[in-house]
Amino acid sequence: MDVIPAIDLLKGRCVRLYQGDYDQSQVFSENPVEVAKAWEAQGAQWLHLVDLDGAKTGQPVNLDTIAAVVEALEIPVQVGGGLRDRNRVTQLLNLGVKRGILGTIAIENPDLVQELCQEFPDQIVVGIDAREGRVATRGWLETSEILAIDLAKRMVTAGAAAIIYTDIQRDGTMKGPNIPMLREMAEAITIPVIASGGVSSITDLLNLLALEAIGVTGAIVGKALYTEDIALSEALRAVGPGRWQDVPPDLGSSALA
């Protein structure tokens, strides 16, 4: 399972929100590039970037910072926030971003999502952010009547490479992911599901690992890394490639050797 560090950008700074509330933001760093390089140095295989200003305004705002992060890293970067038309998506991918994360337009313009999936195969991921199972849009400022699982099924048909599911009521709370909802979604669709929101411990990651067989292939971790409740290197050893349980023990001169 991939453990994917998250960097949320607000006015060029690395922040975390509480339950998606822009008025409850905590600044963790003034230098997102250095934060990104630190996660890569600790073994991250992907980086997750969210342009919070873009999600709120409807168009990418932190493009210079995103470009600087992509330029500084060797690992792939996925980016969401404000990608609501073809030009914005194309602009972002041209910066070297590996995957664009579409959210609001999955509801407001699903035909465009399908076109983009065909135009950029394996590079379009749909982010489904939900409150009590219903999809939120426009930087989590609005909540629709559409069920998250119904939207996920439509996005499979559209050709999305994966679904990133965020439980807004868990995001930034350190209360653990919504395991029942992630299980339900993974069982309902045929593309990978990446969990987001609430991951606060290695135990949470191990609980998610139990869902890997049904399609939960990754976990995005934000606040817990910044507060050091989770050490990325330990998380990767616990659930990543070559995880503890998959590595034969060094028995040395033991009678069991």
Side-chain angles (χ1 to χ4, degrees):
M1 173 177 285
D2 291 322
V3 181
I4 307 173
I7 293 179
D8 289 356
L9 298 172
L10 189 64
K11 298 179 181 178
R13 299 179 296 180
C14 176
V15 308
R16 295 302 295 168
L17 304 184
Y18 181 83
Q19 295 185 339
D21 187 346
Y22 283 75
D23 293 327
Q24 296 189 65
S25 64
Q26 182 178 0
V27 177
F28 281 102
S29 175
E30 299 282 346
N31 192 333
V33 173
E34 291 304 313
V35 173
K37 289 169 66 177
W39 296 144
E40 181 180 52
Q42 292 178 44
Q45 298 299 301
W46 275 90
L47 182 72
H48 178 79
L49 272 179
V50 178
D51 185 341
L52 292 175
D53 300 290
K56 191 173 184 178
T57 64
Q59 59 183 7
V61 173
N62 292 283
L63 284 173
D64 289 345
T65 301
I66 292 168
V69 168
V70 171
E71 178 67 22
L73 301 185
E74 294 185 9
I75 61 173
V77 179
Q78 60 185 26
V79 178
L83 301 181
R84 298 180 193 168
D85 60 52
R86 174 178 280 100
N87 289 341
R88 300 298 183 186
V89 173
T90 301
Q91 181 183 29
L92 193 72
L93 296 178
N94 285 341
L95 291 176
V97 170
K98 185 66 175 178
R99 296 195 298 208
I101 304 166
L102 309 184
T104 297
I105 66 169
I107 287 181
E108 296 184 355
N109 195 348
D111 290 340
L112 177 58
V113 175
Q114 184 166 355
E115 292 172 11
L116 290 168
C117 288
Q118 294 172 352
E119 189 172 345
F120 303 104
D122 299 320
Q123 288 191 276
I124 301 299
V125 172
V126 173
I128 297 181
D129 308 328
R131 286 189 183 93
E132 298 180 350
R134 298 187 183 276
V135 180
T137 62
R138 298 187 172 271
W140 299 356
L141 299 176
E142 300 178 13
T143 302
S144 72
E145 292 301 313
I146 297 174
L147 295 176
I149 288 180
D150 290 343
L151 180 60
K153 291 177 179 178
R154 293 178 208 166
M155 293 303 103
V156 172
T157 302
I163 298 294
I164 296 174
Y165 177 75
T166 302
D167 188 308
I168 294 172
Q169 290 167 296
R170 302 291 183 106
D171 190 72
T173 66
M174 306 279 284
K175 293 181 179 178
N178 188 335
I179 296 291
M181 184 63 186
L182 286 163
R183 178 184 293 278
E184 187 178 352
M185 179 166 288
E187 290 177 338
I189 63 177
T190 56
I191 60 175
V193 175
I194 299 170
S196 176
V199 175
S200 62
S201 66
I202 298 293
T203 299
D204 287 338
L205 291 172
L206 291 171
N207 288 337
L208 288 171
L209 184 62
L211 304 182
E212 185 182 33
I214 61 171
V216 179
T217 63
I220 293 169
V221 186
K223 186 175 182 179
L225 291 176
Y226 295 97
T227 59
E228 300 183 351
D229 285 271
I230 295 178
L232 181 59
S233 58
E234 291 183 6
L236 292 169
R237 286 197 299 269
V239 303
R243 54 187 178 257
W244 286 317
Q245 59 265 48
D246 294 337
V247 179
D250 181 2
L251 299 175
S253 59
S254 166
L256 297 175

